[in-house]
Amino acid sequence: MNPASANIEEAILSAILAGRINPGTRLGEQKLADLFGVSRTRVREAMMRLETRGVVQVSARRGWFVVEPSAEEAREAFQTRRVIETGLLQTVREVPPAVLESLREHVAIERAAIETGDVSSRACLLGDFHIHLADALGNRLLTEIIRDLTARTTLISMLYQPTEKAEESSHDHEDIVAAMEAGDLARAARLMDEHIGKVEAGLDLTAKPDPLAGLRELLSPSTFAGNAPSVPHHHTPAPSFEKKD
Amino acid sequence: MNPASANIEEAILSAILAGRINPGTRLGEQKLADLFGVSRTRVREAMMRLETRGVVQVSARRGWFVVEPSAEEAREAFQTRRVIETGLLQTVREVPPAVLESLREHVAIERAAIETGDVSSRACLLGDFHIHLADALGNRLLTEIIRDLTARTTLISMLYQPTEKAEESSHDHEDIVAAMEAGDLARAARLMDEHIGKVEAGLDLTAKPDPLAGLRELLSPSTFAGNAPSVPHHHTPAPSFEKKD
DNA sequence: GCTCACAAACTTGTATACAAGCTGGAAAGC
DNA sequence: GCTTTCCAGCTTGTATACAAGTTTGTGAGC
């Protein structure tokens, strides 16, 4: 609708869905304004829209930050996704062949990306499966809701997921599609429930979102040799938020 | 967060939920700014947030309007509500006694409002039941989603609902709570599905949203005696949007 | 009397200016 | 050397000014 401001919003959201923007990343109004060649007004507009969609947050006079969901918020996001996605599968009566075809194709692309080892696109694809599903079985409204929720859970995974299990997720997707193909939507719903449960269980929600993650990442590829302690042993003055610049 | 702009947003949303603002109502930035004693900036902020929540829309350089969902959008909203609310009931394992108590109480208030004939508050209460349910069984995120959806369906009812059936809805709510009380959540989910289906079926989605509804309402209580044709017989130049001022 | 064209008033769209507050670093004091 | 205080710079918050487009009312022409 507003050409540029919609682009800013969409650009940031899809970067999050693709896992290219880390939770906690600071998004300065002026920098984005320069980047997109508009004034701060439009950027603020996009930011406020993203804030109501739950993907960024403003800290008064400090800046906009990509949300870092708390453990509680993480649980809420997963519960919500479980409710909606199982509800969708159980509400639908039958699945059109074209939809099945499209989903099978999507899963095939997932597997290809995993075997190729294309890490950057596979996270995006795994989330995209759920968005595709909502789009195919539901409607635009539902798709938008799922999209925002997927952005949230993507950020949560970045914060709390110790190890990725892309193969397992893709296999789950395959099973869900198979159940749909067999016309057993109740089973598809149950599999979806388990799938989301597995992803959630794979998180380490006891570990607080690590404010040092950014620093550690910068230091870990060993500029210094022979030190890979899990926690830096020197006293650090808690930089709290800022990670990228 | 932003005290005033959040208030504007909340004030408008709850007015919609209470049925005090009609779909299609124009919301002028300057007038709202004067009303709330702030500048247009804050009002625009609130409007854009409400736009991403799907309750208002901007028509370029003409103004902000409370949405008038199309028949297609109405179907989408009801499908989405059905998916989420049945999904919620089916996901929940057991219902805490305190929740049951609170829901029973709510239904009692509904019935009281209906018997009293308090038309203004009963629409609000009927929608509130679903919001309460999401709040009690789900989480804040889910509640917010349901709240926005309820705002949508409230507007849809205003546009397409020929006759209100408040007693029936309240009775449905009672049955749903009874099923929950009996621990039969599958039945509760089915009843919820039927309930939302009934509300949707009670709409006349073939009737286009009537751009003259506002005018007709203003004229119908007979300033002139003896003329109540369903359509004014003189040529009207299609005022399209504006209804309130 | 009716239609059409034009202009004035009004509304949103966008940028910019300035105010308010936070952060980080330098300098002073211990 | 270490801590504390204060100031300069940077970032968002809010208002206002102006640009661009829409609507409506007026008046000329038929």
Side-chain angles (χ1 to χ4, degrees), chain B residues 136-205:
Chain B
L137 296 182
N139 55 62
R140 276 168 301 179
L141 184 53
L142 207 43
T143 303
E144 203 182 308
I145 293 172
I146 288 287
R147 207 173 130 90
D148 291 354
L149 285 173
T150 302
R152 259 189 161 90
T153 51
T154 299
L155 292 170
I156 290 166
S157 293
M158 290 191 194
L159 273 177
Y160 298 103
Q161 196 169 32
T163 62
E164 281 194 63
K165 298 175 186 171
E167 330 80 49
E168 189 177 354
S169 278
S170 183
H171 194 74
D172 287 354
H173 293 175
E174 205 167 6
D175 291 346
I176 291 167
V177 174
M180 290 169 66
E181 212 163 346
D184 191 350
L185 287 165
R187 181 155 159 270
R190 187 158 39 80
L191 289 173
M192 177 64 84
D193 194 37
E194 289 172 12
H195 167 55
I196 297 178
K198 254 190 279 185
V199 175
E200 186 177 2
L203 303 179
D204 181 12
L205 290 177

Side-chain angles (χ1 to χ4, degrees), chain A residues 41-114:
Chain A
T41 307
R42 313 274 291 270
V43 175
R44 274 181 75 77
E45 195 177 305
M47 287 298 145
M48 287 184 305
R49 290 190 136 103
L50 286 173
E51 190 180 35
T52 80
R53 296 175 76 174
V55 299
V56 306
Q57 241 176 340
V58 67
S59 173
R61 282 171 225 271
R62 289 189 358 100
W64 296 87
F65 298 87
V66 177
V67 294
E68 295 183 289
S70 68
E72 176 64 21
E73 289 166 334
R75 274 184 284 266
E76 290 185 357
F78 277 101
Q79 184 194 6
T80 304
R81 278 192 59 175
R82 227 189 305 221
V83 164
I84 296 178
E85 301 195 44
T86 61
L88 177 59
L89 287 169
Q90 280 173 319
T91 302
V92 160
R93 301 227 171 274
E94 62 178 341
V95 185
V99 168
L100 283 172
E101 179 57 36
S102 144
L103 289 173
R104 267 194 302 256
E105 190 184 341
H106 188 95
V107 172
I109 296 175
E110 280 179 19
R111 298 202 75 89
I114 288 172

Side-chain angles (χ1 to χ4, degrees), chain A residues 195-244:
Chain A
H195 167 54
I196 297 178
K198 254 189 278 184
V199 175
E200 187 178 359
L203 303 180
D204 181 12
L205 291 178
T206 63
K208 290 233 167 70
D210 184 0
L212 303 174
L215 287 179
R216 190 163 302 151
E217 193 176 335
L218 288 177
L219 297 174
S220 69
S222 75
T223 310
F224 310 102
N227 62 348
S230 62
V231 171
H233 56 284
H234 57 279
H235 176 71
T236 53
S240 71
F241 262 123
E242 194 128 7
K243 293 189 182 163
K244 282 192 178 177

Side-chain angles (χ1 to χ4, degrees), chain B residues 103-115:
Chain B
L103 289 174
R104 267 195 302 257
E105 189 183 343
H106 188 95
V107 172
I109 297 175
E110 279 180 19
R111 299 201 76 88
I114 289 172
E115 290 187 12

Side-chain angles (χ1 to χ4, degrees), chain B residues 56-75:
Chain B
V56 306
Q57 242 177 340
V58 66
S59 173
R61 283 171 222 273
R62 290 190 355 99
W64 296 87
F65 298 87
V66 177
V67 293
E68 296 183 288
S70 66
E72 176 64 19
E73 289 165 334
R75 272 184 285 267

